Amino acid sequence: MDSEARDIMVEYGQFLFQRGYAVGTAGNISLKLADGDILATPTNACLGRLTAPALARVRLDGEQVSGEKMSKEIAFHLALYRARPDCGAVVHLHSTYLTALSCLENLNPEEAIKPFTPYFVMKTGRLPLIPYFRPGSPLIAEALTERLASGSACLMANHGAVALGKTLPEAVDAFEELEETAKLLFILGNNPVRYLTAGEVAELR
Ligand code: 13P
């Protein structure tokens, strides 16, 4: 039934935790099952210590059918699946460098990271920003679906980031590329950066 998907989610939760992208009980991930239901991490779960039976199976309308109490961010996960039929998985984390970036003032809400490496463009495309809302706020869903009408990643002010993909591995890869790009940005600091030109970005897109 859904046991393979549950195992994949446990495996990728451990991966994200071991890479240091998920800390404590922050973050949540979900994927779309073949029958259209969503498998999501429970609230207050450590992504490094997920168990298959605890994962919450949720209908697209928000009704929970099994598992432990679903993530408080389930509303935005479901909204993204409803808005984006091509979306098969959602990864939301408070990873260190993206969260640091999300706390900076005067970010460009259309493009919080100006492209300076090709893989950032190839794996995540563009990084828009939504305003700050408290974790679990139903307003996050509206802001994210608006910003993610296309594209695969979004920064959440003073909170973290979200990446989506056709599969969980794809969403995780996109998130990883994003986090490492944010890290590079902080390493570069005030050094003058050669950003990719518009032509170089267009070629990659
Ligand atoms: P949950 O533990 O409810 O999934 O919330 C964690 C989180 O990352 C909130 O943004």
PDB file of all heavy atoms in Angstrom, residues 25-28 42-45 71-73 92 94 135 159, ligand 1:
ATOM      1  N   THR A  25      12.946  19.762  16.529  1.00  0.00           N
ATOM      2  CA  THR A  25      11.696  19.291  15.903  1.00  0.00           C
ATOM      3  C   THR A  25      11.239  20.264  14.817  1.00  0.00           C
ATOM      4  O   THR A  25      10.073  20.233  14.408  1.00  0.00           O
ATOM      5  CB  THR A  25      10.576  19.125  16.955  1.00  0.00           C
ATOM      6  OG1 THR A  25      10.315  20.406  17.528  1.00  0.00           O
ATOM      7  CG2 THR A  25      10.967  18.135  18.031  1.00  0.00           C
ATOM      8  N   ALA A  26      12.144  21.105  14.335  1.00  0.00           N
ATOM      9  CA  ALA A  26      11.760  22.054  13.286  1.00  0.00           C
ATOM     10  C   ALA A  26      11.680  21.348  11.936  1.00  0.00           C
ATOM     11  O   ALA A  26      12.392  20.388  11.677  1.00  0.00           O
ATOM     12  CB  ALA A  26      12.781  23.183  13.209  1.00  0.00           C
ATOM     13  N   GLY A  27      10.792  21.819  11.110  1.00  0.00           N
ATOM     14  CA  GLY A  27      10.686  21.322   9.742  1.00  0.00           C
ATOM     15  C   GLY A  27       9.600  20.281   9.583  1.00  0.00           C
ATOM     16  O   GLY A  27       9.161  19.650  10.555  1.00  0.00           O
ATOM     17  N   ASN A  28       9.143  20.125   8.372  1.00  0.00           N
ATOM     18  CA  ASN A  28       8.135  19.113   8.032  1.00  0.00           C
ATOM     19  C   ASN A  28       8.248  18.793   6.556  1.00  0.00           C
ATOM     20  O   ASN A  28       8.625  19.651   5.756  1.00  0.00           O
ATOM     21  CB  ASN A  28       6.713  19.571   8.425  1.00  0.00           C
ATOM     22  CG  ASN A  28       6.550  21.064   8.326  1.00  0.00           C
ATOM     23  OD1 ASN A  28       6.434  21.597   7.233  1.00  0.00           O
ATOM     24  ND2 ASN A  28       6.599  21.753   9.466  1.00  0.00           N
ATOM     25  N   PRO A  42       4.387  14.152  11.413  1.00  0.00           N
ATOM     26  CA  PRO A  42       3.553  14.628  12.527  1.00  0.00           C
ATOM     27  C   PRO A  42       4.112  15.919  13.118  1.00  0.00           C
ATOM     28  O   PRO A  42       5.276  16.247  12.906  1.00  0.00           O
ATOM     29  CB  PRO A  42       3.640  13.500  13.560  1.00  0.00           C
ATOM     30  CG  PRO A  42       4.383  12.389  12.919  1.00  0.00           C
ATOM     31  CD  PRO A  42       5.158  12.949  11.765  1.00  0.00           C
ATOM     32  N   THR A  43       3.274  16.624  13.872  1.00  0.00           N
ATOM     33  CA  THR A  43       3.740  17.853  14.523  1.00  0.00           C
ATOM     34  C   THR A  43       4.722  17.497  15.640  1.00  0.00           C
ATOM     35  O   THR A  43       4.620  16.428  16.267  1.00  0.00           O
ATOM     36  CB  THR A  43       2.559  18.686  15.067  1.00  0.00           C
ATOM     37  OG1 THR A  43       3.067  19.966  15.482  1.00  0.00           O
ATOM     38  CG2 THR A  43       1.834  18.013  16.227  1.00  0.00           C
ATOM     39  N   ASN A  44       5.680  18.378  15.845  1.00  0.00           N
ATOM     40  CA  ASN A  44       6.693  18.216  16.891  1.00  0.00           C
ATOM     41  C   ASN A  44       7.524  16.951  16.759  1.00  0.00           C
ATOM     42  O   ASN A  44       7.988  16.401  17.755  1.00  0.00           O
ATOM     43  CB  ASN A  44       6.043  18.252  18.291  1.00  0.00           C
ATOM     44  CG  ASN A  44       5.464  19.612  18.592  1.00  0.00           C
ATOM     45  OD1 ASN A  44       6.028  20.641  18.185  1.00  0.00           O
ATOM     46  ND2 ASN A  44       4.317  19.646  19.252  1.00  0.00           N
ATOM     47  N   ALA A  45       7.694  16.489  15.528  1.00  0.00           N
ATOM     48  CA  ALA A  45       8.515  15.294  15.303  1.00  0.00           C
ATOM     49  C   ALA A  45       9.926  15.730  14.914  1.00  0.00           C
ATOM     50  O   ALA A  45      10.107  16.726  14.215  1.00  0.00           O
ATOM     51  CB  ALA A  45       7.910  14.455  14.188  1.00  0.00           C
ATOM     52  N   SER A  71       1.403  17.758  11.063  1.00  0.00           N
ATOM     53  CA  SER A  71       2.152  19.008  11.210  1.00  0.00           C
ATOM     54  C   SER A  71       1.225  20.219  11.264  1.00  0.00           C
ATOM     55  O   SER A  71       0.211  20.274  10.565  1.00  0.00           O
ATOM     56  CB  SER A  71       3.102  19.152  10.012  1.00  0.00           C
ATOM     57  OG  SER A  71       3.624  20.453   9.967  1.00  0.00           O
ATOM     58  N   LYS A  72       1.623  21.208  12.039  1.00  0.00           N
ATOM     59  CA  LYS A  72       0.825  22.451  12.096  1.00  0.00           C
ATOM     60  C   LYS A  72       0.913  23.224  10.779  1.00  0.00           C
ATOM     61  O   LYS A  72       0.150  24.138  10.545  1.00  0.00           O
ATOM     62  CB  LYS A  72       1.244  23.334  13.273  1.00  0.00           C
ATOM     63  CG  LYS A  72       2.632  23.945  13.157  1.00  0.00           C
ATOM     64  CD  LYS A  72       2.901  24.970  14.239  1.00  0.00           C
ATOM     65  CE  LYS A  72       3.638  24.468  15.440  1.00  0.00           C
ATOM     66  NZ  LYS A  72       4.861  23.692  15.230  1.00  0.00           N
ATOM     67  N   GLU A  73       1.865  22.840   9.915  1.00  0.00           N
ATOM     68  CA  GLU A  73       2.004  23.507   8.616  1.00  0.00           C
ATOM     69  C   GLU A  73       1.271  22.755   7.501  1.00  0.00           C
ATOM     70  O   GLU A  73       1.460  23.055   6.322  1.00  0.00           O
ATOM     71  CB  GLU A  73       3.488  23.663   8.233  1.00  0.00           C
ATOM     72  CG  GLU A  73       4.354  24.387   9.242  1.00  0.00           C
ATOM     73  CD  GLU A  73       4.057  25.883   9.335  1.00  0.00           C
ATOM     74  OE1 GLU A  73       2.961  26.309   8.919  1.00  0.00           O
ATOM     75  OE2 GLU A  73       4.916  26.620   9.861  1.00  0.00           O
ATOM     76  N   HIS A  92       9.868  21.592   3.999  1.00  0.00           N
ATOM     77  CA  HIS A  92       9.976  22.878   4.697  1.00  0.00           C
ATOM     78  C   HIS A  92      10.946  22.714   5.855  1.00  0.00           C
ATOM     79  O   HIS A  92      10.754  21.850   6.716  1.00  0.00           O
ATOM     80  CB  HIS A  92       8.604  23.319   5.230  1.00  0.00           C
ATOM     81  CG  HIS A  92       8.715  24.391   6.280  1.00  0.00           C
ATOM     82  ND1 HIS A  92       9.315  25.613   6.035  1.00  0.00           N
ATOM     83  CD2 HIS A  92       8.350  24.420   7.591  1.00  0.00           C
ATOM     84  CE1 HIS A  92       9.301  26.340   7.139  1.00  0.00           C
ATOM     85  NE2 HIS A  92       8.727  25.633   8.103  1.00  0.00           N
ATOM     86  N   HIS A  94      13.987  24.797   8.646  1.00  0.00           N
ATOM     87  CA  HIS A  94      14.569  26.018   9.210  1.00  0.00           C
ATOM     88  C   HIS A  94      16.091  25.860   9.162  1.00  0.00           C
ATOM     89  O   HIS A  94      16.769  26.014  10.175  1.00  0.00           O
ATOM     90  CB  HIS A  94      14.130  26.196  10.664  1.00  0.00           C
ATOM     91  CG  HIS A  94      12.642  26.189  10.878  1.00  0.00           C
ATOM     92  ND1 HIS A  94      12.078  26.210  12.140  1.00  0.00           N
ATOM     93  CD2 HIS A  94      11.617  26.172  10.012  1.00  0.00           C
ATOM     94  CE1 HIS A  94      10.747  26.199  12.033  1.00  0.00           C
ATOM     95  NE2 HIS A  94      10.446  26.164  10.743  1.00  0.00           N
ATOM     96  N   PRO A 135       4.603  30.596  12.667  1.00  0.00           N
ATOM     97  CA  PRO A 135       4.510  29.204  12.222  1.00  0.00           C
ATOM     98  C   PRO A 135       3.106  28.646  12.468  1.00  0.00           C
ATOM     99  O   PRO A 135       2.527  28.862  13.528  1.00  0.00           O
ATOM    100  CB  PRO A 135       5.547  28.497  13.094  1.00  0.00           C
ATOM    101  CG  PRO A 135       6.560  29.557  13.393  1.00  0.00           C
ATOM    102  CD  PRO A 135       5.763  30.828  13.534  1.00  0.00           C
ATOM    103  N   HIS A 159      11.833  32.862   9.116  1.00  0.00           N
ATOM    104  CA  HIS A 159      11.282  31.539   9.406  1.00  0.00           C
ATOM    105  C   HIS A 159      12.101  30.408   8.779  1.00  0.00           C
ATOM    106  O   HIS A 159      12.560  29.513   9.475  1.00  0.00           O
ATOM    107  CB  HIS A 159       9.820  31.507   8.924  1.00  0.00           C
ATOM    108  CG  HIS A 159       9.064  30.262   9.256  1.00  0.00           C
ATOM    109  ND1 HIS A 159       7.697  30.167   9.210  1.00  0.00           N
ATOM    110  CD2 HIS A 159       9.482  29.025   9.614  1.00  0.00           C
ATOM    111  CE1 HIS A 159       7.304  28.963   9.546  1.00  0.00           C
ATOM    112  NE2 HIS A 159       8.377  28.246   9.792  1.00  0.00           N
TER     113      HIS A 159
HETATM  114  P1  13P B   1       5.482  21.005  13.046  1.00  0.00           P
HETATM  115  O1  13P B   1       6.310  20.345  14.133  1.00  0.00           O
HETATM  116  O2  13P B   1       4.051  21.183  13.465  1.00  0.00           O
HETATM  117  O3  13P B   1       5.626  20.260  11.749  1.00  0.00           O
HETATM  118  O4  13P B   1       6.055  22.452  12.831  1.00  0.00           O
HETATM  119  C1  13P B   1       7.446  22.624  12.688  1.00  0.00           C
HETATM  120  C2  13P B   1       7.770  23.803  11.856  1.00  0.00           C
HETATM  121  O5  13P B   1       8.751  23.777  11.157  1.00  0.00           O
HETATM  122  C3  13P B   1       6.908  25.003  11.898  1.00  0.00           C
HETATM  123  O6  13P B   1       7.204  25.872  10.870  1.00  0.00           O
END
